Amino acid sequence: MVGGKLSKSIWLRYSFVCLLTLVIAAIGFAATQHLSTLDTRELARTQANIEVATSYYVDDSNQLSASQVREREAGFISSEPNDIPFELGDSAYWVRFSLSNQTLDDAALVLHIDNSMLTELAAYQYSSVVNSPLAALNQGTLSATAFPHLNINLSAKQNIELLLKLKAGGPPNIPLVWHQAEQFKTKQALTRVLFGVVIGVLAVIGLYNLVIFNAIRDKVYLIYIGYLLAAFLVLATVNGYGYILFSPETQELLNTHSLFFHYYLLSFLVLFTLYFLKFNEDNGKLFKIGQVSVYLLICLSAIGLFIPHTERAIIFFSLVPIYYAYSICLVILKLKSEFSWARYYVVSWIPLLVGAGAQQLTLFGYIDYSFILVNAFLLAVLCEITLMSFALAERMRRHEAERIAEMSYHSGSGIPRKNVFERSLYKLMQTPDAHLHVLVIKPEHIERVALYVNDAMNTALFKRIYEKLTPLFAYNDAIEPIGMRGEKIALVAGNMLAIVVNEQKNQQALDTIVSSINTLVEEAYRIEALQIPLQANIGVASYPEHGNLPFILLNKAQMALPDAENCTGKWAVYEEFQSDNSGYRLKLAAEINAAIEQGSFELYHQPQVDLKTMRVCGSECLIRWHYDGENLSEQGFIPPTAFIPVAEDMGLINKLTRWVIKQAIAQHSVLLAQGYKHHMVSINISGKDICAEGFYEYVAAEIEAAEIAANKIVFELTESATITNNAQALEVIELLTELGVTISIDDFGTGYASMAYVSELPFKELKVDRQFVQDVGDDKKRRTIAETTVRMAKGLGLEVVAEGINSQKDENLLRQFGCDIGQGYFYAKPMAFDDYLEWLTDEVNGRSPEPLEGEFISKHSLS
């Protein structure tokens, strides 16, 4: 049904687009036909009794006067106006018209000299007296106008002869078109409307894109604005509407430098292609070739100011096909790589190529003049910039969709996230009489397994499980789709998957579904090449029995997981007073409190390395718990992911954090005493800790009691969004900063951490989350995010720490981006304090007696 509705929606949308396109095409065709009649209504066809004979003479020296040319009447060549061979060069063209009115009525005629870039235009009329001098006609209406023209009034039975001197500073062709006076007024009016539309569209689109650029700072919009400005100036000179906007002196100056603007129009076109199609992100050979070619155009535009117009034009128009071919190749290359959203931009090339080619051929006299053809480039640019605007809008829409997808899908595995699951579950809950089961799937002993693998291996495991389970649910209608692409499985935590079973559609027992899941999980439970014979624990919560909100159902399904672990079938339904309060969580909370009082927790240190000096500059303190009591069902290592959420829920987190701070400061004193004078320690705190009463006083007292410098302490703050509107918390941060403590924003790019909070709070350090760092060299999007984050942070004057560095390649890239400090398995895993001291001693390899910014890491640890 979903597929059917989607197909119908797409069919309706494309039908509407096709219909709209046909209507616009019909209107455009009708307008074109009407405009073309302005050229086909030539004088000889509308008034057969008015005869016009045309001849021309080419003055190669451009030195002859009208009288001298008159003496060379034998050199005039009879021709139709459209057949006069105007060419680039310094020659002047003399055109003679013999007009004869055979009617008994007066005739008002207009000679339209349709080239707005005339540098010489003079008109003379032969006198009726033989051998009398030529009479110069009024020059006021001849040049310095968008519509150079000559008004001629022919009396009944009158014969007159006119002599015109013509020379163009731009395109060589000078169309000479005779019109009736009323017909010419109509042509002027329609042309002004066309000019107005083009100027208005250019202005509106330019301003709109300026607003967008100011909002998102994407260079492609600035380049597009540059293209619009260059197009405006080029069209103002070639088509002459600049005379409507500027003074004649200004327009003549623009006409003189018309080719200069042509160069920049072509430059912006190439730049737009490169940035719109994202070749700048690759920074490959094609992008560098484009950059060099643009620099070449800019240089040629400057050199062109000092060489004759003819040579300038020849150079430019010989380059145009090369640059067009280069840009089209870029488009084709991206289309091959499924760059489907660039379709509007691809289509925009069609009117540009057709219009530019048609107008150039007309202006150079290769095809006959017509109103449409002489304005072809103007009309083409109008269509092109409109399509380019659509392309930019589509690009923005796709970027927004990608941004939403990044928030909705796990970057490493592509599995839908928790927020997608909760949104879809909420919609399903609105169905009348809905009866749903939420199943949370957690691989057995995943916390313990995670201790022996890195994040990439962990992600690969869940991706493999996801790929195994997807075919199982694909044709089971009882498993509801929850992803934007119809996916049925979500990653609701770092180590748990979830599905929704619709009981109204379900035709098999839940234990059958669970059994099938566990069979496939056991097949997929593999770390690299090692198959692990483990299944999954599955917790179940039902709607409406166990809650009426998605997060409540998810939480209760997770609460059922401990019970599932102890069941033969490896699954359990949430039961009040059993899954939640029967013992585990309360016992765990009690044991946490006892462990704080007895000092049973332990701090592990993971070294942090200065990426410039390659010396250890500090360590992050991480809490660990090896439980050896008897009150819990488990003994041994209990991961932070298990006890920290309980500590938060039970109000023990502030007490736990203070214990960590006390131990970290005490251990730091030991480090200082052993000669590591420049060593820093990083301690994780949350927004809840900052907001706790007396937090600052506690920290200040501990630092003072230990007699250490506060500037060697770093607080890595999570959940920064929770304190932005808390005046007391902000005051505490200010006090800590004044004390000398460095405040760092932790796990930037995930959860609450964002650039908005970085700009609002007095942070001095930013820590990029491991999911954007690990394998950064192998993932283009991850690399872009990491590089952008580092550069933004450096722009704000922050020191940048990257956690999750697992290889030399990761380290090299992050150093190239400008990252200051690295942390990850590439250097060392977290280790107990005594082990850390030993590790430092081994790695120092004979510490230098000279003061150092950090401690030396020997080469063998980096190889």
Side-chain angles (χ1 to χ4, degrees):
M1 285 297 294
V2 174
K5 289 180 180 178
L6 185 62
S7 300
K8 185 176 181 181
S9 173
I10 293 173
W11 184 86
L12 289 172
R13 184 177 67 182
Y14 279 103
S15 297
F16 174 76
V17 170
C18 291
L19 179 61
L20 184 61
T21 303
L22 288 173
V23 171
I24 293 173
I27 295 172
F29 178 76
T32 302
Q33 288 296 101
H34 177 68
L35 290 171
S36 65
T37 60
L38 297 175
D39 303 316
T40 56
R41 287 190 221 151
E42 295 174 0
L43 184 65
R45 300 181 188 180
T46 56
Q47 284 186 268
N49 292 322
I50 295 180
E51 297 178 355
V52 181
T54 309
S55 59
Y56 70 93
Y57 176 81
V58 181
D59 176 11
D60 293 325
S61 67
N62 193 22
Q63 300 293 325
L64 298 178
S65 65
S67 300
Q68 291 172 321
V69 170
R70 183 181 183 184
E71 294 172 356
R72 305 187 182 192
E73 289 188 3
F76 276 81
I77 302 171
S78 295
S79 172
E80 292 297 323
N82 286 341
D83 296 331
I84 299 174
F86 295 104
E87 294 181 354
L88 278 172
D90 295 324
S91 301
Y93 291 82
W94 293 83
V95 182
R96 185 172 64 187
F97 290 102
S98 299
L99 289 88
S100 177
N101 184 0
Q102 303 296 321
T103 70
L104 297 176
D105 299 316
D106 295 342
L109 307 178
V110 177
L111 174 61
H112 185 196
I113 305 139
D114 198 358
N115 187 318
S116 60
M117 298 182 68
L118 296 169
T119 55
E120 291 188 44
L121 174 56
Y124 305 90
Q125 183 173 341
Y126 286 81
S127 173
S128 57
V129 179
V130 179
N131 295 326
S132 61
L134 292 170
L137 299 179
N138 181 13
Q139 302 295 311
T141 60
L142 296 183
S143 59
T145 172
F147 309 98
H149 64 282
L150 185 65
N151 294 314
I152 301 296
N153 293 312
L154 270 178
S155 301
K157 298 295 183 178
Q158 183 183 11
N159 299 323
I160 65 170
E161 290 192 2
L162 302 175
L163 183 64
L164 270 69
K165 182 181 182 181
L166 303 170
K167 190 173 186 303
N173 193 30
I174 306 175
L176 302 168
V177 186
W178 286 97
H179 296 287
Q180 297 180 50
E182 290 302 319
Q183 177 192 349
F184 181 69
K185 288 180 182 179
T186 302
K187 184 177 183 178
Q188 275 186 302
L190 290 173
T191 306
R192 287 179 186 275
V193 170
L194 178 61
F195 288 168
V197 169
V198 172
I199 294 168
V201 169
L202 287 170
V204 170
I205 294 178
L207 289 173
Y208 174 70
N209 282 276
L210 183 61
V211 170
I212 295 177
F213 171 73
N214 285 331
I216 65 176
R217 296 291 173 179
D218 188 341
K219 285 183 182 178
V220 72
Y221 293 96
L222 193 61
I223 294 169
Y224 185 48
I225 293 167
Y227 180 76
L228 293 175
L229 181 60
F232 171 82
L233 293 171
V234 167
L235 296 173
T237 57
V238 174
N239 291 84
Y241 63 67
Y243 283 111
I244 299 173
L245 303 174
F246 311 121
S247 66
E249 294 77 18
T250 302
Q251 180 63 18
E252 287 177 13
L253 180 65
L254 294 177
N255 287 347
T256 304
H257 298 96
S258 178
L259 274 176
F260 182 83
F261 305 134
H262 277 74
Y263 275 107
Y264 277 88
L265 181 67
L266 191 56
S267 299
F268 281 119
L269 179 64
V270 173
L271 283 174
F272 183 85
T273 305
L274 289 169
Y275 278 84
F276 178 80
L277 299 177
K278 299 183 179 180
F279 280 95
N280 58 305
E281 294 181 3
D282 303 333
N283 198 27
K285 289 183 179 179
L286 286 173
F287 178 69
K288 291 175 181 176
I289 290 171
Q291 281 184 311
V292 172
S293 68
V294 169
Y295 292 142
L296 175 64
L297 286 174
I298 293 171
C299 292
L300 289 174
S301 70
I303 294 170
L305 298 174
F306 304 100
I307 62 176
H309 171 76
T310 303
E311 284 74 7
R312 273 187 288 163
I314 291 172
I315 293 171
F316 175 77
F317 288 108
S318 63
L319 290 173
V320 169
I322 298 172
Y323 279 83
Y324 275 20
Y326 167 74
S327 299
I328 292 171
C329 285
L330 295 180
V331 174
I332 292 171
L333 286 173
K334 283 297 182 180
L335 286 177
K336 284 185 177 180
S337 60
E338 299 299 324
F339 224 66
S340 59
W341 56 265
R343 59 184 180 274
Y344 287 113
Y345 182 59
V346 175
V347 174
S348 75
W349 275 89
I350 298 173
L352 180 67
L353 293 173
V354 173
Q359 181 159 327
Q360 292 303 324
L361 291 173
T362 303
L363 295 177
F364 280 84
Y366 292 107
I367 57 178
D368 289 342
Y369 163 91
S370 74
F371 178 84
I372 296 297
L373 291 177
V374 84
N375 289 292
F377 187 57
L378 182 145
L379 295 168
V381 168
L382 185 63
C383 294
E384 183 211 16
I385 61 176
T386 303
L387 289 168
M388 286 169 74
S389 295
F390 280 121
L392 283 171
E394 179 71 3
R395 184 178 189 264
M396 183 184 293
R397 187 186 70 80
R398 289 300 180 108
H399 281 189
E400 182 66 16
E402 288 176 4
R403 188 184 69 82
I404 293 172
E406 286 178 4
M407 292 190 300
S408 303
Y409 290 84
H410 184 261
S411 59
S413 63
I415 304 173
R417 292 184 185 270
K418 180 181 179 181
N419 61 329
V420 177
F421 184 86
E422 289 184 343
R423 214 166 33 237
S424 299
L425 179 57
Y426 181 79
K427 291 180 181 177
L428 292 169
M429 291 163 66
Q430 307 312 304
T431 305
D433 301 322
H435 188 193
L436 309 169
H437 303 297
V438 173
L439 276 65
V440 171
I441 306 164
K442 184 177 181 181
E444 281 188 287
H445 307 301
I446 187 64
E447 290 93 350
R448 297 177 186 176
V449 171
L451 296 174
Y452 303 97
V453 300
N454 58 29
D455 290 342
M457 294 177 184
N458 189 65
T459 298
L461 170 62
F462 277 90
K463 187 174 182 180
R464 189 160 46 251
I465 293 172
Y466 174 82
E467 290 171 348
K468 275 282 187 180
L469 293 178
T470 295
L472 175 66
F473 303 142
Y475 301 103
N476 188 340
D477 291 339
I479 313 299
E480 292 285 357
I482 49 89
M484 294 186 291
R485 308 182 190 111
E487 300 93 343
K488 296 186 175 184
I489 310 170
L491 188 68
V492 295
N495 55 11
M496 286 179 270
L497 300 169
I499 62 172
V500 179
V501 178
N502 191 332
E503 184 62 27
Q504 293 175 324
K505 301 178 182 178
N506 195 23
Q507 298 179 356
Q508 57 187 151
L510 278 179
D511 57 353
T512 303
I513 296 175
V514 168
S515 177
S516 301
I517 291 172
N518 266 328
T519 298
L520 295 176
V521 169
E522 187 172 3
E523 292 176 9
Y525 212 138
R526 188 172 68 253
I527 304 298
E528 291 188 332
L530 300 176
Q531 185 78 28
I532 303 174
L534 295 174
Q535 297 181 334
N537 299 317
I538 300 173
V540 182
S542 302
Y543 171 81
E545 296 95 312
H546 299 141
N548 56 4
L549 290 174
F551 79 92
I552 293 176
L553 291 174
L554 268 176
N555 288 346
K556 291 186 174 180
Q558 292 177 55
M559 289 176 184
L561 288 170
D563 298 330
E565 189 173 359
N566 297 320
C567 292
T568 305
K570 295 296 181 182
W571 72 287
V573 178
Y574 170 81
E575 293 183 21
E576 201 77 39
F577 307 116
Q578 190 168 4
S579 297
D580 188 9
N581 300 328
S582 63
Y584 183 78
R585 291 172 64 83
L586 287 175
K587 288 178 183 178
L588 183 59
E591 290 300 314
I592 291 171
N593 188 56
I596 296 173
E597 297 294 338
Q598 298 165 11
S600 301
F601 288 106
E602 189 175 2
L603 280 190
Y604 274 41
H605 289 250
Q606 186 173 29
Q608 296 179 333
V609 178
D610 187 323
L611 295 181
K612 295 183 180 67
T613 63
M614 294 313 301
R615 294 168 179 170
V616 176
C617 58
S619 62
E620 180 182 5
C621 298
L622 302 165
I623 191 168
R624 295 292 184 263
W625 188 15
H626 291 271
Y627 178 74
D628 56 1
E630 298 178 355
N631 293 325
L632 298 177
S633 58
E634 289 184 337
Q635 290 189 344
F637 180 80
I638 299 179
T641 53
F643 66 81
I644 286 181
V646 175
E648 289 177 340
D649 292 343
M650 302 299 177
L652 295 170
I653 191 64
N654 299 137
K655 189 175 182 179
L656 186 60
T657 299
R658 293 190 181 195
W659 181 89
V660 171
I661 292 171
K662 186 178 185 70
Q663 293 301 313
I665 290 175
Q667 292 178 2
H668 191 227
S669 297
V670 175
L671 285 166
L672 293 174
Q674 293 198 13
Y676 301 99
K677 297 180 181 179
H678 301 283
H679 192 283
M680 308 276 288
V681 290
S682 296
I683 304 166
N684 291 290
I685 63 173
S686 70
K688 295 176 183 177
D689 297 317
I690 289 285
C691 297
E693 186 175 354
F695 179 77
Y696 169 77
E697 290 78 7
Y698 178 82
V699 172
E702 288 295 326
I703 292 174
E704 184 179 0
E707 297 182 350
I708 64 173
N711 61 9
K712 298 303 177 186
I713 305 295
V714 179
F715 281 162
E716 294 185 7
L717 178 63
T718 59
E719 300 179 27
S720 53
T722 63
I723 65 173
T724 52
N725 297 318
N726 189 318
Q728 181 182 349
L730 294 174
E731 182 182 355
V732 171
I733 289 182
E734 293 287 354
L735 289 171
L736 288 170
T737 303
E738 291 173 9
L739 183 64
V741 175
T742 297
I743 306 296
S744 172
I745 184 169
D746 192 21
D747 296 333
F748 182 80
T750 63
Y752 292 98
S754 74
M755 193 57 70
Y757 306 125
V758 174
S759 63
E760 292 173 9
L761 299 171
F763 293 108
K764 293 183 180 178
E765 183 183 274
L766 181 146
K767 194 167 192 180
V768 184
D769 186 71
R770 70 178 66 249
Q771 71 171 322
F772 302 124
V773 173
Q774 61 183 10
D775 303 324
V776 67
D778 300 324
D779 188 310
K780 182 180 175 182
K781 286 188 177 180
R782 194 175 300 175
R783 173 176 176 168
T784 301
I785 292 170
E787 182 176 9
T788 302
T789 301
V790 173
R791 296 195 186 283
M792 284 194 299
K794 298 303 291 181
L796 292 173
L798 302 177
E799 193 169 51
V800 182
V801 180
E803 63 177 347
I805 294 178
N806 293 334
S807 67
Q808 184 71 60
K809 187 176 182 181
D810 292 349
E811 180 193 82
N812 292 340
L813 272 176
L814 287 158
R815 184 188 296 109
Q816 177 185 331
F817 295 163
C819 191
D820 302 293
I821 297 171
Q823 177 182 341
Y825 286 1
F826 181 54
Y827 308 111
K829 291 186 177 183
M831 62 194 87
F833 183 62
D834 291 340
D835 294 335
Y836 180 60
L837 289 175
E838 185 178 350
W839 183 86
L840 282 176
T841 303
D842 292 342
E843 293 301 299
V844 165
N845 237 7
R847 203 162 53 246
S848 169
E850 297 295 326
L852 299 173
E853 290 299 321
E855 303 303 330
F856 180 76
I857 295 180
S858 61
K859 290 182 180 178
H860 70 80
S861 67
L862 298 177
S863 60

